[in-house]
Amino acid sequence: MGFAAAILIGVAAILLPAAVVLCEFPASLKLERAFPSNHGIQLSQLVARDRLRHGRMLQSLDGVVDFLVEGTFDPFVVGLYYTKLQLGSPPKDFYVQIDTGSDVLWVSCGSCNGCPQTSGLQIPLNFFDPGSSSTSSLVSCSDKRCSLGIQSSDSACSSQTNQCSYTFQYGDGSGTSGYYVSDLLHFDMVVGASMIQNASAPILFGCSTLQTGDLTKSDRAVDGIFGFGQQGMSVISQLSSQGIAPKVFSHCLKGDDSGGGILVLGEIIEPNIVYSPLVPSQPHYNLNLQSISVNGQAISVNPSVFATSSNRGTIIDSGTTLAYLAEEAYEPFINAITNAVSQSARPVLAKGSQCYLITSSVTEIFPQVSLNFAGGASMYLRPQDYLIQQNSIGGAAVWCIGFQKIPGQGITILGDLVLKDKIVVYDLAAHRIGWTNYDCSMSVNVSTTSSMGKTEFENAGN
């Protein structure tokens, strides 16, 4: 929401090497954040970008667009994460958005209609040219990978050209279409304490020849989208089916002003990680949230509010900047926080957003919140995990509830506000997601399982 007196929030830049497990070894990617640390971003802008992010989640198998946001509430904005990939021979750099809400990796191709030429993120934009890569090949309709994509609505076939193609329509009115190519993905392997460069694996990805709507804008343009979904066309599934990478990925995002993060195709190992089972047969990463506690007391909300259905459920989504509560849970949550700080903080409303004026440390005043999931796994939130620090008014610090609500919607979305300063493990093989609080500026231990057993790698991410 917008605030009086030009209250701004600064969103940290992320620029830190990350470890990725490939070929049963960690490999390195560089994870970056869209908003530089020296830019002030209004909370209303973050909310507006989240709305675009949610609208752009792909349609599920049954044709329903998940988390489609109607125009009855303030716009959402996303804090964009992206990484640099190398594709083709010779390798060429592409900056792609890391997106857990879709499955396919696609990049802009030559002669693309509507593709941005420049980016406000201060990154060079490239166009993939299959003809200039010696290892590139087109994907025909008879390719079994194309058939797999048809089953999940990620591909289509033209009988006239015998070419595997795609058309993705997004909830915000934007879209992209193109055709699939097969080529090499290049990465760096970590073997013990040594870095081995120039490893590669063949993957199938999209070559975008048309972009419309928000995708055509240059303010936060990237070369494409790196889908980390669960379907067979995702890179994580492709590498797993080749026996190159385990079917698990992890991230750890720093929450301080310096930014940073670790992205791992593999499992981060940490003794305190707790796991909750994924809700089956869902196109996104749904968990069964059972209750929310403030200072150890569960707020008064019927558990059915969080149950997963066609228009309800709880999503773990690192592509969302803030966090969103089902409408029925929002007011009880706000009331519980306000009551807990009634003696120490002055509540104020700023265009519908609940804020507080305080003159001492936020950690001394505000309570711990726990999100309690199936399997006995709780996610413990510090005040900084549900509040956003704003400017000062009259010498008092302004802290606002970062959780938002979507009027008329029963969706709960846990984005970067909640996920930062935590290891999060997406264990697709075991159908579960795990997490623990962690200092993401530190190295992590990464393991992968092969026919030789489990191997652990120390200090991944350094």
Side-chain angles (χ1 to χ4, degrees):
M1 306 298 169
F3 291 89
I7 300 175
L8 298 178
I9 171 175
V11 180
I14 288 182
L15 183 61
L16 188 71
V20 179
V21 173
L22 297 175
C23 294
E24 299 177 357
F25 291 103
S28 179
L29 290 179
K30 182 165 65 177
L31 184 65
E32 303 185 56
R33 184 70 178 272
F35 294 121
S37 60
N38 61 345
H39 284 195
I41 303 296
Q42 290 191 12
L43 185 57
S44 60
Q45 290 179 276
L46 294 175
V47 174
R49 286 195 185 273
D50 276 341
R51 179 183 182 183
L52 293 177
R53 167 69 177 82
H54 300 160
R56 288 175 54 195
M57 284 185 174
L58 288 181
Q59 292 184 345
S60 63
L61 181 60
D62 58 11
V64 176
V65 178
D66 296 291
F67 321 123
L68 175 64
V69 176
E70 303 294 337
T72 58
F73 49 89
D74 291 340
F76 296 71
V77 186
V78 63
L80 179 66
Y81 286 88
Y82 59 94
T83 191
K84 184 174 72 173
L85 298 181
Q86 288 193 319
L87 299 170
S89 301
K92 195 172 183 180
D93 294 343
F94 295 91
Y95 292 90
V96 288
Q97 178 185 350
I98 297 170
D99 182 14
T100 60
S102 63
D103 301 307
V104 173
L105 166 64
W106 61 262
V107 296
S108 299
C109 279
S111 70
C112 176
N113 184 6
C115 292
Q117 303 291 318
T118 60
S119 173
L121 300 178
Q122 306 303 312
I123 57 175
L125 297 184
N126 279 322
F127 293 87
F128 185 78
D129 179 9
S132 66
S133 173
S134 62
T135 50
S136 177
S137 62
L138 300 181
V139 180
S140 68
C141 289
S142 59
D143 192 302
K144 62 180 182 180
R145 295 171 296 180
C146 188
S147 301
L148 184 65
I150 291 175
Q151 296 174 18
S152 59
S153 302
D154 288 326
S155 68
C157 254
S158 169
S159 58
Q160 294 179 337
T161 62
N162 191 32
Q163 192 172 69
C164 191
S165 62
Y166 65 88
T167 298
F168 300 146
Q169 296 297 326
Y170 300 93
D172 65 348
S174 66
T176 179
S177 61
Y179 56 92
Y180 285 104
V181 297
S182 179
D183 211 334
L184 294 180
L185 169 67
H186 300 268
F187 46 84
D188 297 332
M189 293 196 307
V190 179
V191 181
S194 302
M195 175 73 74
I196 298 179
Q197 298 179 329
N198 301 324
S200 63
I203 62 166
L204 179 150
F205 58 93
C207 195
S208 176
T209 58
L210 174 66
Q211 293 174 29
T212 61
D214 190 59
L215 291 175
T216 66
K217 297 179 180 179
S218 61
D219 59 339
R220 53 196 176 94
V222 288
D223 291 313
I225 291 180
F226 193 176
F228 271 82
Q230 306 172 60
Q231 302 296 339
M233 297 286 276
S234 70
V235 170
I236 207 76
S237 294
Q238 292 187 60
L239 295 179
S240 175
S241 66
Q242 296 179 50
I244 294 175
K247 202 168 186 179
V248 53
F249 69 95
S250 316
H251 60 66
C252 192
L253 305 176
K254 289 178 63 178
D256 61 23
D257 289 341
S258 66
I262 298 172
L263 172 65
V264 175
L265 300 188
E267 181 182 2
I268 295 179
I269 300 299
E270 171 64 25
N272 296 321
I273 293 179
V274 295
Y275 287 89
S276 185
L278 282 165
V279 179
S281 304
Q282 298 298 315
H284 302 297
Y285 294 113
N286 284 71
L287 293 180
N288 182 11
L289 178 62
Q290 297 179 329
S291 66
I292 300 175
S293 300
V294 176
N295 259 348
Q297 292 290 114
I299 63 175
S300 181
V301 177
N302 191 315
S304 64
V305 166
F306 304 118
T308 301
S309 65
S310 61
N311 60 353
R312 288 190 176 276
T314 301
I315 310 299
I316 303 293
D317 181 20
S318 61
T320 290
T321 301
L322 303 175
Y324 298 80
L325 280 179
E327 185 178 24
E328 299 94 330
Y330 185 77
E331 294 302 331
F333 176 74
I334 295 295
N335 291 338
I337 298 296
T338 302
N339 291 337
V341 299
S342 60
Q343 302 300 314
S344 306
R346 175 188 168 191
V348 294
L349 284 176
K351 295 186 178 180
S353 185
Q354 182 64 61
C355 302
Y356 305 89
L357 299 179
I358 65 172
T359 55
S360 57
S361 170
V362 66
T363 57
E364 297 175 358
I365 295 176
F366 285 87
Q368 176 179 269
V369 170
S370 65
L371 308 178
N372 308 308
F373 293 89
S378 290
M379 182 180 289
Y380 296 102
L381 308 184
R382 307 162 302 161
Q384 298 94 325
D385 297 329
Y386 63 85
L387 296 170
I388 295 177
Q389 186 175 10
Q390 306 292 325
N391 287 354
S392 298
I393 296 181
V398 180
W399 288 79
C400 298
I401 298 288
F403 279 67
Q404 308 293 305
K405 67 176 177 180
I406 308 175
Q409 298 290 319
I411 297 295
T412 296
I413 304 174
L414 304 180
D416 297 337
L417 175 67
V418 170
L419 302 179
K420 70 180 187 298
D421 300 319
K422 292 177 179 65
I423 292 171
V424 182
V425 179
Y426 301 74
D427 188 348
L428 306 185
H431 308 288
R432 61 182 187 169
I433 290 183
W435 59 83
T436 187
N437 291 341
Y438 197 78
D439 180 356
C440 297
S441 65
M442 298 174 60
S443 60
V444 296
N445 296 329
V446 181
S447 78
T448 181
T449 302
S450 69
S451 58
M452 302 298 291
K454 177 169 284 191
T455 304
E456 186 165 317
F457 301 91
E458 301 291 333
N459 298 328
N462 272 354

